[in-house]
Amino acid sequence: VLVAAFAALLFCYSRYVYVDHLYQNNAKASTGGGWLDTKGGAWERAARGTGQLANLGLALLLLPIARHSVLTDAFGIAWEQALWAHILLGYFVLACFIVHAGCWFKVYAMLDIFPDDVLEVPMYYPTNGQPKSAGRCADNWTVPLAVATTIAALVLMGGLAHYEVRRRRFEVFYYAHHCFLAIYATALWHAASCWYLVLGGLAHWAADRLLRLKEAGRAWTVACCEARADGVVHLELAPADGGRVFAYAPGQYAFLCLPDISHLESHPFTLSAAPSDAAARNRLAFDIKAMPPHPGLGKNAASTFTQGLRRLAEARSSDPATIRVAVEGPCGAAFDASRHDAVLLVAGGIGVTPCHAIFRELYAEARARQDAALVDGSAAAAATTTTLVWVARDRNVLDLFGPTLREAAADDLGGRFRLSLYVDAERGAEAWGTNDAFRGIPFVHGRPDVSRAIADLKAAGAAAPHCFVCGPPGLAAACSAAALARGV
């Protein structure tokens, strides 16, 4: 729908800027189509029209990246789910910049003023039909400014925004992307008709930044920073102002900045506690695994943010209140279990954090309904059937969320909450499939058959089943393929 709407907008606007608009509003329409320099008429029309398309792209470019947006709320999606639109619009704008400049250079060449008018002020253009020998007549200093900004944009916004750069050197990509401020300032100076297109998007972006600044400015106290199994750090934060933690939905995340590690880095981490538990304890909880640098960075790469957090936890676990932290959130799409009658949560390793928050919250809600039904003697309302499939490296990892797993193992609330836990690194493949237990948590040695789990979900007769997966790319791809094949 969004792509079709953009295509329709692009077609209608292109028709206007290339065909219907009378540029310069002068009296030469009968001889040259309304151009100051009729010799380059077709190329000038292409140059001006493409410039207007670039303005349109700039007007829309900032809308998908706002973390607080009525647009994402209206479509029921998270801001990161709209980033594909931002990426495509970004490349569209850069392409318009190149074509716009190229067409103008062609016009200058036809008027024999290229490359003079590219970086020099005063300019020969507009020549008004006079030869070059008539001298320079315009002081449009925004043209060389636009040329320099376009070159910078191609490098900083195009080259450094490539996936591999984002994946390996996110901070390089992030701070280079602030070149957009210079691009918008130049566009507003350079194009007289730009302001009424882009000011709405800029205002939307500015409002979002102010809200984010307000969130990040709230003071938090680190109540717990504990190193746990498999390189995981358990982090708990409490409001330093004595207020309440912000409300969030299970599966959402928040950005954390720890100046003791880096003032310049802010990273997203899942809120691993159920929202009801966070509200009851008035604490936010995160479980963060120390991850090594990207393999492509080589053996001498600097340590990662999460490795720095692990060292911080080992050094200051006895005095966590000295650790400084800034929090921005919550972010991410809210999981709505009411839309489904069967939920399958599939997790690999530390990818269990959103799955745990969802499972724990649904379990708490179902138990509360069951307890209420026992008190008033009524029948308990039907609840979603929820299955948690989690594969971990060793049994100690399971204890990261031991209380939830032991409670569900002891009472599955009439078969509505099922655990399917696996450990794949303790025994060889010949021992896979054997049952075991650890501190009251039952598990199986081996790896889950996610295709079969999704097939069972569909075969159970659920009218609206849902599969939620978080884990390594291979696990996610297997779940996606199985779900698509079975219409889940």
Side-chain angles (χ1 to χ4, degrees), residues 22-347:
L22 184 61
Y23 292 102
Q24 305 298 342
N25 194 26
N26 60 46
K28 294 186 179 181
S30 61
T31 59
W35 307 96
L36 288 176
D37 283 295
T38 59
K39 186 177 180 180
W43 286 100
E44 188 168 349
R45 181 183 294 271
R48 292 181 182 274
T50 308
Q52 293 300 321
L53 291 183
N55 290 339
L56 176 64
L58 290 173
L60 301 174
L61 188 59
L62 295 179
L63 297 180
I65 61 170
R67 296 179 189 171
H68 305 84
S69 173
V70 294
L71 297 177
T72 52
D73 289 343
F75 285 100
I77 60 175
W79 73 276
E80 67 271 14
Q81 292 175 292
L83 286 180
W84 63 269
H86 172 75
I87 294 171
L88 292 180
L89 282 169
Y91 285 121
F92 169 78
V93 170
L94 289 178
C96 287
F97 284 174
I98 294 172
V99 175
H100 174 66
C103 289
W104 271 119
F105 294 167
K106 176 64 177 179
V107 172
Y108 293 167
M110 295 173 71
L111 296 172
D112 195 28
I113 56 175
F114 180 85
D116 306 71
D117 273 10
V118 174
L119 293 174
E120 295 184 10
V121 179
M123 300 173 60
Y124 291 103
Y125 185 89
T127 64
N128 297 318
Q130 299 298 314
K132 183 178 180 179
S133 59
R136 302 175 184 269
C137 62
D139 60 350
N140 188 357
W141 53 270
T142 69
V143 172
L145 176 63
V147 171
T149 305
T150 299
I151 294 173
L154 292 175
V155 175
L156 300 177
M157 309 294 281
L160 296 184
H162 190 271
Y163 173 78
E164 286 299 321
V165 178
R166 299 199 311 269
R167 187 74 179 87
R168 300 185 185 191
R169 301 286 188 183
F170 180 81
E171 279 68 39
V172 173
F173 149 76
Y174 177 75
Y175 288 105
H177 233 56
H178 284 72
C179 171
F180 86 94
L181 294 169
I183 292 173
Y184 275 85
T186 299
L188 288 168
W189 269 321
H190 178 65
S193 58
C194 180
W195 66 271
Y196 54 77
L197 287 172
V198 306
L199 283 187
L202 281 172
H204 186 267
W205 169 81
D208 172 66
R209 293 297 303 185
L210 289 174
L211 288 172
R212 290 172 56 188
L213 183 63
K214 180 178 180 294
E215 289 175 356
R218 187 181 185 186
W220 294 83
T221 298
V222 178
C224 175
C225 186
E226 181 180 306
R228 295 189 174 178
D230 200 30
V232 174
V233 173
H234 180 71
L235 190 66
E236 293 185 8
L237 310 179
D241 56 10
R244 304 296 302 174
V245 298
F246 53 72
Y248 64 92
Q252 288 190 299
Y253 62 92
F255 283 83
L256 299 182
C257 176
L258 287 92
D260 295 284
I261 302 174
S262 173
H263 288 274
L264 301 178
E265 297 183 44
S266 180
H267 293 266
F269 298 105
T270 301
L271 292 148
S272 57
S276 56
D277 289 339
R281 301 181 65 231
N282 201 31
R283 288 186 180 184
L284 302 178
F286 302 87
D287 287 272
I288 303 165
K289 183 174 180 177
M291 303 299 292
H294 190 283
L297 296 179
K299 296 181 179 180
N300 297 322
S303 63
T304 63
F305 181 90
T306 52
Q307 288 176 325
L309 177 60
R310 176 73 180 191
R311 290 194 297 270
L312 195 64
E314 293 170 347
R316 300 200 204 173
S317 60
S318 61
D319 192 15
T322 61
I323 301 174
R324 296 170 296 165
V325 63
V327 183
E328 183 186 328
C331 301
F335 180 79
D336 185 6
S338 64
R339 299 170 55 188
H340 312 288
D341 54 358
V343 174
L344 175 65
L345 305 170
V346 182

Side-chain angles (χ1 to χ4, degrees), residues 464-480:
H466 181 76
C467 178
F468 181 101
V469 59
C470 185
L475 179 65
C479 288
S480 179

Side-chain angles (χ1 to χ4, degrees), residues 425-436:
E426 286 190 355
R427 297 183 182 178
E430 69 280 355
W432 283 11
T434 58
N435 295 320
D436 206 335

